[in-house]
């Protein structure tokens, strides 16, 4: 048979063992896929019998709130955040991976780089949180992605 397809996703937010477990859980339902999260390298390596399987794994990671760069252009990190690239005073975001205090710190650090953001309600274990201020929604998601995290407009 053909060789397995192996793709490494880099710059993924993996601050603790719970983040690593979250990766395993995210891709558990993708038949034939193996995922190896490396906490020290901030990488997730996806291996599967074909590109379609590996793509499903990548999609599952994004759905679980993780983001990164794919080593293989044929496997895309598709993050449809719903951002409209417009000014907002309040933005509700769901689906960001927030398993611990360090994840929350990463969100806070990301949002601190966004012009006009004055506050957010991100907390450990929440399914969604609100960002407030006077800012562009696309900037918020771009900043989260730089931290290896992703979510969607609620």
């Amino acid at each position: 048979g053909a060789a397995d397809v192996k793709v490494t996703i880099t710059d993924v937010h993996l601050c603790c063992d719970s983040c690593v477990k979250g990766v395993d859980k995210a891709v558990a339902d993708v038949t034939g896929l193996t995922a190896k999260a490396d906490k020290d390298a901030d990488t997730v390596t996806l291996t599967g019998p074909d590109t379609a399987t590996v793509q499903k794994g990548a999609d599952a990671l994004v759905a679980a709130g993780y983001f990164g760069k794919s080593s293989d252009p044929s496997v895309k990190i598709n993050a449809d955040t719903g951002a409209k690239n417009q000014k907002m005073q309040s933005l509700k975001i769901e689906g960001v991976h927030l398993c611990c205090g360090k994840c929350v710190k990463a969100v806070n650090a990301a949002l601190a780089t966004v012009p006009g953001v004055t506050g957010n309600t991100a907390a450990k274990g929440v399914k969604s949180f609100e960002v407030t201020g006077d800012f562009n929604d696309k900037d918020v998601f771009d900043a989260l992605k730089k931290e290896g995290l992703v979510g969607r407009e609620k």
Side-chain angles (χ1 to χ4, degrees), residues 24-119:
D24 294 338
K25 192 170 160 243
V27 300
D29 294 338
V30 183
T31 310
L33 183 84
T34 316
K36 183 171 180 346
D38 184 332
K39 196 173 69 174
D40 299 323
D42 290 332
T43 60
V44 177
T45 305
L46 300 175
T47 311
D50 50 44
T51 304
T53 301
V54 175
Q55 181 65 62
K56 271 187 201 151
D59 293 343
L61 281 179
V62 169
Y66 299 93
F67 193 78
K69 295 179 193 70
S70 172
S71 64
D72 182 342
S74 67
V75 172
K76 311 249 185 303
I77 308 298
N78 300 314
D80 182 11
T81 60
K84 297 164 188 74
N85 196 13
Q86 66 189 26
K87 279 272 188 198
M88 300 184 126
Q89 282 71 50
S90 165
L91 169 64
K92 283 199 168 64
I93 301 177
E94 63 183 356
V96 178
H97 175 84
L98 286 165
C99 74
C100 70
K102 275 165 80 178
C103 288
V104 176
K105 272 201 187 110
V107 167
N108 289 337
L111 295 177
T113 68
V114 180
V117 168
T118 53

